[in-house]
Amino acid sequence: MSYRTSVFDPALVVGQIVCLQSAHYISLSFVVVTLELLTGSRITLNHILHASELRTGTVMGWSLAAAFFLNAAVSAYFLLLIVQRAKLCLDFAATVHFFHLILTSLYSGGVPSSFFWWLVFVGCIVVMALAGEYLCMQRELLPIMVGSKGRGGGAAGSSGGGGGGAGNAIELQRLTREVEEH
């Protein structure tokens, strides 16, 4: 896990978007192809990118909606791995889906007009953003290990050789007092 300063780094943001978009489509392809194989329907890119495939009148349309929601949950895990910051999850989830809207519009020959498509689209943004924020917040709330054995060595309160827990707690108290004095 890495912690970054708040300096804007365009190369990092573009890299994260490319990685997240790629991971999103790879997992969506895997989920949809699995669905196609289980239902015996033909394998086609239309199920991912054509807006007319996502409809309420067929079992496949409902199954695709479920696949999109499942992929939104999987993509939330990608937010944890790639973005790592809870406050950025909504931005990245919206960006992934904005590019999906553009690709779907180009592939379908127009902006989707189905209410069901838009409902699934917005629902997937919400699922991906909220689940991603939850996962990132859980990771951000993990205790930061303080130790004198180098990176990640010895947690406060741990027992073991080399002056473990009590020494770490005393050192943390000393550092806290120094910060408060200044």
Side-chain angles (χ1 to χ4, degrees), residues 60-80:
M60 189 61 177
W62 283 100
S63 300
L64 286 171
F68 274 90
F69 278 108
L70 175 62
N71 189 60
V74 171
S75 293
Y77 184 71
F78 295 144
L79 285 171
L80 172 68

Side-chain angles (χ1 to χ4, degrees), residues 123-158:
C124 287
I125 293 172
V126 170
V127 167
M128 184 175 170
L130 290 180
E133 284 180 15
Y134 175 78
L135 292 171
C136 288
M137 283 192 319
Q138 292 304 308
R139 177 163 298 168
E140 288 172 0
L141 292 175
L142 289 176
I144 298 172
M145 303 301 178
V146 178
S148 59
K149 295 182 192 177
R151 250 175 96 122
S158 67

Side-chain angles (χ1 to χ4, degrees), residues 35-57:
L35 174 70
E36 291 166 337
L37 291 173
L38 290 174
T39 60
S41 64
R42 63 186 177 90
I43 296 174
T44 175
L45 192 58
N46 286 352
H47 288 153
I48 295 173
L49 292 176
H50 205 287
S52 67
E53 294 292 329
L54 209 58
R55 58 185 180 269
T56 58

Side-chain angles (χ1 to χ4, degrees), residues 158-171:
S158 67
S159 60
N168 290 340
I170 293 169
E171 179 66 12

Side-chain angles (χ1 to χ4, degrees), residues 65-139:
F68 274 90
F69 278 108
L70 175 62
N71 189 60
V74 171
S75 293
Y77 184 71
F78 295 144
L79 285 171
L80 172 68
L81 296 177
I82 297 168
V83 178
Q84 301 178 351
R85 309 263 319 260
K87 70 179 188 175
L88 298 177
C89 285
L90 177 60
D91 298 339
F92 278 89
T95 301
V96 163
H97 286 84
F98 174 73
F99 285 124
H100 180 69
L101 172 63
I102 291 172
L103 282 173
T104 300
S105 298
L106 291 173
Y107 190 84
S108 301
V111 177
S113 59
S114 165
F115 177 75
F116 185 64
W117 188 93
W118 283 100
L119 186 68
V120 171
F121 181 77
V122 171
C124 287
I125 293 172
V126 170
V127 167
M128 184 175 170
L130 290 180
E133 284 180 15
Y134 175 78
L135 292 171
C136 288
M137 283 192 319
Q138 292 304 308
R139 177 163 298 168

